[in-house]
């Protein structure tokens, strides 16, 4: 199924583009010219999350932001499993389709492992990396694993599917970013029905189920990408991926790393601190 939703051009002033992957029809935007920046979102968001950053950088870079299958304006294929491994494969197909070479990858939340998984298999084509509030190693903290177990239970799966719980409570709730009503509705309307939210419902369980993939990334990323110029932009008030532990792990994995702390930003850094992120990327990759 496809989503019957057209974003407001005043909020999302981009041309929609489409790629027929091996698993389904993928939506993405491709704005500007110059070195390619590939933006990878997490859950429960879509490429709308990067709108301010794309607008701020498209005069200097080629800005590509993708919606994974099951998210945003992309297709919801019945036969797709919506696992991190499957999203990684489809993203790799898009990178190859666009013939990206010398590209800079930005990943936040699940966009980190999805993007790094695709990039590590194409390391010779990667110019640099931007990581924000993400991990590429097994997720061990008890709070994260408890969240995974609770959200994967039958009652909570029902609430995710029927009440759009992940969007309404974790993105648009009290601890989420400050958004206008129109902006909030763009996140709601990208996940409008129970059937449309099937991919969203899979993600919490992946915190535990994707462990083998994350174990492999913990080895591959330092080995294959560890010498790439890297920027970490971190929301220091994030309760999902704690800054101290995560940044130290990233420091140990990359030899050419700059860290920019975002003191007031929480998990959804692209909403909380887009101007700071835009400036940090432009300064790191002139």
């Amino acid at each position: 199924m496809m989503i019957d939703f057209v974003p407001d051009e005043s909020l999302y002033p981009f041309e929609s583009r489409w790629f027929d992957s091996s698993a389904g029809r993928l939506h993405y935007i491709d704005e500007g010219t110059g070195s390619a920046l590939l933006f990878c979102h997490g859950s429960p968001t879509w490429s709308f999350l990067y709108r301010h950053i794309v607008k701020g950088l498209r005069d200097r870079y080629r800005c590509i932001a993708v919606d994974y299958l099951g998210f945003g304006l992309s297709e919801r294929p019945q036969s797709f499993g919506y696992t991190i491994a499957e999203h990684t494969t489809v993203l790799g197909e898009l990178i190859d389709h666009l013939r990206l070479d010398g590209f800079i990858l930005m990943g936040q939340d699940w966009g980190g492992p999805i993007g790094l998984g695709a990039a590590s298999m194409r390391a010779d084509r990667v110019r640099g990396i931007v990581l924000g509030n993400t991990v590429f190693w097994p997720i061990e903290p008890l709070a994260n694993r408890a969240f995974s177990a609770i959200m994967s239970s039958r009652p909570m799966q029902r609430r995710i599917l029927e009440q759009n719980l992940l969007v309404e409570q974790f993105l648009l709730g009290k601890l989420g970013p400050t958004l206008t009503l129109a902006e909030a509705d763009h996140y709601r309307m990208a996940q409008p029905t129970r059937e449309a939210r099937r991919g969203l419902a899979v993600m919490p369980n992946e915190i535990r189920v994707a462990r083998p993939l994350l174990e492999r990334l913990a080895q591959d990323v330092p080995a294959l990408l560890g010498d790439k110029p890297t920027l970490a932009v971190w929301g220091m008030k994030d309760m999902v991926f704690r800054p101290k532990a995560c940044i130290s792990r990233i420091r140990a994995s990359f030899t050419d790393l700059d860290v920019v702390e975002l003191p007031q930003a929480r998990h959804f850094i692209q909403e909380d601190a887009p101007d700071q992120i835009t400036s940090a990327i432009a300064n790191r990759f002139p």
Side-chain angles (χ1 to χ4, degrees):
M1 64 172 291
M2 299 294 294
I3 298 299
D4 185 20
F5 165 53
V6 179
D8 185 335
E9 289 186 2
S10 68
L11 294 177
Y12 189 77
F14 314 121
E15 178 185 351
S16 287
R17 300 175 186 269
W18 305 92
F19 167 57
D20 289 320
S21 76
S22 63
R25 198 169 192 227
L26 203 70
H27 173 262
Y28 69 99
I29 58 174
D30 190 341
E31 300 279 318
T33 57
S35 295
L37 278 165
L38 176 62
F39 296 106
C40 299
H41 67 85
S43 176
T45 61
W46 57 292
S47 58
F48 184 75
L49 181 71
Y50 284 102
R51 65 197 180 281
H52 299 304
I53 297 171
V54 171
K55 285 188 286 186
L57 291 175
R58 63 180 171 178
D59 63 335
R60 287 165 282 180
Y61 302 87
R62 178 186 177 188
C63 296
I64 302 158
V66 62
D67 297 344
Y68 312 134
L69 294 175
F71 290 79
L73 307 185
S74 289
E75 189 177 359
R76 273 72 170 165
Q78 287 288 339
S79 59
F80 196 64
Y82 301 100
T83 65
I84 301 306
E86 288 168 293
H87 288 309
T88 300
T89 296
V90 172
L91 179 66
E93 291 179 5
L94 178 65
I95 292 171
D96 294 343
H97 169 73
L98 295 176
R99 299 180 181 177
L100 299 185
D101 198 5
F103 70 94
I104 301 158
L105 169 78
M106 179 173 180
Q108 179 262 344
D109 190 77
W110 279 121
I114 292 170
L116 290 169
S120 64
M121 291 183 279
R122 299 161 179 82
D124 60 330
R125 293 158 57 186
V126 177
R127 174 187 170 192
I129 297 165
V130 183
L131 299 176
N133 297 69
T134 187
V135 297
F136 51 86
W137 54 84
I139 303 169
E140 303 288 8
L142 181 59
N144 300 71
R145 297 181 67 79
F147 172 84
S148 175
I150 292 167
M151 289 297 123
S152 302
S153 68
R154 186 172 297 178
M156 287 303 185
Q157 284 283 295
R158 188 179 304 117
R159 290 185 65 187
I160 291 169
L161 292 169
E162 296 179 359
Q163 300 172 26
N164 207 11
L165 176 70
L166 294 180
V167 170
E168 295 294 343
Q169 294 300 319
F170 297 99
L171 174 58
L172 305 180
K174 291 181 180 179
L175 296 179
T178 301
L179 300 171
T180 66
L181 180 60
E183 289 171 328
D185 281 343
H186 275 62
Y187 286 115
R188 292 187 175 105
M189 289 186 286
Q191 300 288 359
T193 65
R194 177 189 175 96
E195 180 62 23
R197 299 170 194 145
R198 287 177 55 243
L200 193 60
V202 171
M203 297 303 249
N205 199 38
E206 286 291 288
I207 292 171
R208 294 169 298 153
V209 173
R211 183 181 181 92
L213 179 148
L214 293 170
E215 288 176 340
R216 186 168 64 251
L217 281 180
Q219 301 294 321
D220 288 350
V221 170
L224 301 173
L225 299 170
D227 61 346
K228 303 292 183 181
T230 301
L231 169 67
V233 282
W234 217 268
M236 301 304 286
K237 291 188 175 181
D238 188 9
M239 302 294 286
V240 180
F241 298 128
R242 302 282 182 162
K244 184 177 180 181
C246 291
I247 293 174
S248 65
R249 183 74 180 256
I250 290 172
R251 286 190 188 278
S253 301
F254 295 96
T255 59
D256 184 7
L257 174 71
D258 286 352
V259 176
V260 173
E261 296 182 359
L262 309 171
Q264 302 304 315
R266 292 173 173 161
H267 184 63
F268 299 101
I269 57 173
Q270 302 93 327
E271 295 287 5
D272 289 337
D275 293 342
Q276 291 167 272
I277 296 169
T278 298
S279 296
I281 292 173
N283 290 336
R284 185 68 171 107
F285 300 103

